[in-house]
Amino acid sequence: MKRLIERLVAAGNAYVAEEHVLFHVPSMPDYGQLSKRPLDELIAGARVDVAPYKRNPMDFVLWKPSKPGEPAWPSPAGVTTPGRPGWHIECSAMAWRHLGETFDIHGGGIDLEFPHHENEIAQSRSAFHTRLMARFWVHNGFLQLEGEKMAKSVGNVVRIRELLADWPGEVLRLNMLKTHYHQPMDWTVRGLEESAKTLDDWYEFAATTAGKRPGSAVLEALLDDLNTPRAIAELHGLRSLAHGGDALALDELAASLRFIGLLRSTTDEWRTRKQAAKGVDPAEVERLIAARAQARKAKDFAEADRIRDELAGRGVALKDSKDGTTWEVAR
Ligand SMILES: [Zn+2]
């Protein structure tokens, strides 16, 4: 961070004033491109109550003196007392160290676009004399939980690790992909249940098909700013075509699902995990089904019904046909 700050001062993009180092925004004529806020509008709208050491109201802090009791580090050249970094500089420093002067994708919450990301860009581009900091900026919408903003202060934070105790990772993945990344996402148990049901169906229907090439409509949707809800709609379209006997649609469905990171298990592994998650022991189920068949043979229908109800209570649904009894775990 200190090296970056010293570079910016040497290049004339930053200055030292009253033990602060400030980035001089007018030194970068195309500042504001990311959030599409022209510099002159920003300057005109800047607050009246501006710190006296700023040359321009838009100038932002790269380094500042620590208040008593705050952590402090040796300051960049030109500042005598120990201090601490401003809000934006660490991101430019981390990106430089780990990704280089220019890199591919920068993510972040939509609320960080301005001023945080705009200022990161100003720092990095000015320090390295580059046209770009990141080639793509991917801003995600807010995450809501059952219709309410998810926030530490509200106490309704759900962690991925906790969710993985109850749901396969693919259910979480599909559930997230149902919302475009740029839109607000409402995370609900109901949504998770629907995603799990959808995956159950895809596993039963498509997981044994190898799949050569993803469907072109699915790829087109993804190429359109990662429009995952549209891609999923295309998957449902392929599913109904395949149901009607279209072999190419089935192939494309299987390949597309794998392409977006689903169907990573076999159908058997998927079923077994679902059974285990529901606490169902397949051997025990088979034993009860055999006992029920015995009871029916002996015309003890009360006992047969009791066994069926007991299994239903454990989430196991039976299906009788002329070939015998099959079962599955209900969601
Ligand atoms: Zn950042």
Side-chain angles (χ1 to χ4, degrees):
M1 284 189 257
K2 279 170 62 181
R3 278 170 64 199
L4 262 181
I5 291 170
E6 286 163 3
R7 268 185 187 226
L8 288 168
V9 173
N13 295 103
Y15 58 94
V16 178
E18 295 183 26
E19 297 295 280
H20 292 69
V21 185
L22 293 130
F23 187 93
H24 190 46
V25 170
S27 74
M28 185 184 180
D30 59 354
Y31 179 91
Q33 276 188 330
L34 177 72
S35 54
K36 298 179 185 70
R37 295 167 199 233
L39 184 54
D40 49 354
E41 271 178 35
L42 283 169
I43 290 172
R47 283 181 306 140
V48 188
D49 183 20
V50 177
Y53 47 79
K54 286 193 181 181
R55 284 187 198 162
N56 183 282
M58 287 301 300
D59 293 354
F60 61 88
V61 168
L62 299 174
W63 192 266
K64 60 185 173 184
S66 299
K67 296 195 180 84
E70 283 182 350
W73 290 268
S75 292
V79 179
T80 49
T81 50
R84 53 186 288 188
W87 174 24
H88 318 290
I89 194 71
E90 70 174 311
C91 296
S92 288
M94 283 191 291
W96 181 25
R97 169 92 171 246
H98 295 289
L99 303 170
E101 296 181 356
T102 300
F103 54 95
D104 287 333
I105 302 170
H106 193 311
I110 199 149
D111 52 330
L112 294 178
E113 187 178 61
F114 184 86
H116 182 54
H117 291 157
E118 205 71 79
N119 290 350
E120 276 182 40
I121 291 172
Q123 294 164 165
S124 295
R125 282 187 49 204
S126 303
F128 309 126
H129 309 287
T130 47
R131 202 173 52 82
L132 291 170
M133 180 192 193
R135 290 182 188 90
F136 295 95
W137 286 83
V138 177
H139 289 103
N140 59 279
F142 287 122
L143 180 59
Q144 298 199 314
L145 191 72
E146 305 287 351
E148 274 187 60
K149 189 181 170 195
M150 194 186 286
K152 263 189 208 151
S153 55
V154 183
N156 62 348
V157 173
V158 179
R159 290 180 175 77
I160 297 286
R161 219 176 296 123
E162 297 161 14
L163 287 168
L164 282 172
D166 296 328
W167 305 92
E170 287 185 21
V171 171
L172 307 185
R173 182 172 292 166
L174 175 62
N175 204 49
M176 292 201 103
L177 295 177
K178 287 196 294 196
T179 307
H180 188 256
Y181 74 84
H182 200 62
Q183 297 298 318
M185 178 182 296
D186 192 16
W187 191 263
T188 63
V189 171
R190 206 197 147 123
L192 283 164
E193 285 166 352
E194 281 167 11
S195 301
K197 274 210 175 101
T198 303
L199 273 162
D200 283 348
D201 174 67
W202 285 339
Y203 262 100
E204 297 296 335
F205 192 77
T208 52
T209 303
K212 279 193 282 296
R213 192 181 303 170
S216 56
V218 175
L219 292 178
E220 263 166 47
L222 294 175
L223 286 168
D224 178 15
D225 192 21
L226 289 176
N227 192 337
T228 52
R230 208 179 96 202
I232 290 169
E234 298 293 350
L235 291 172
H236 288 305
L238 287 173
R239 167 69 174 88
S240 46
L241 285 174
H243 184 69
D246 184 334
L248 178 63
L250 176 59
D251 194 270
E252 288 185 346
L253 174 65
S256 306
L257 288 170
R258 293 200 174 87
F259 183 73
I260 61 174
L262 302 172
L263 301 193
R264 294 297 173 101
S265 312
T266 64
T267 310
D268 274 347
E269 287 164 350
W270 183 259
R271 283 188 200 143
T272 305
R273 197 182 311 159
K274 187 165 122 184
Q275 290 157 7
K278 293 274 176 178
V280 173
D281 173 5
E284 169 82 349
V285 173
E286 294 295 345
R287 195 185 62 71
L288 285 166
I289 288 174
R292 175 168 165 268
Q294 279 297 325
R296 280 164 55 144
K297 225 179 198 173
K299 304 250 184 280
D300 186 354
F301 296 111
E303 172 65 1
D305 287 349
R306 191 196 61 76
I307 294 172
R308 169 183 279 268
D309 292 346
E310 188 189 328
L311 284 167
R314 298 188 199 179
V316 175
L318 301 184
K319 204 187 265 175
D320 295 315
S321 72
K322 57 181 181 349
D323 302 324
T325 301
T326 55
W327 60 279
E328 65 169 18
V329 178
R331 283 283 175 200

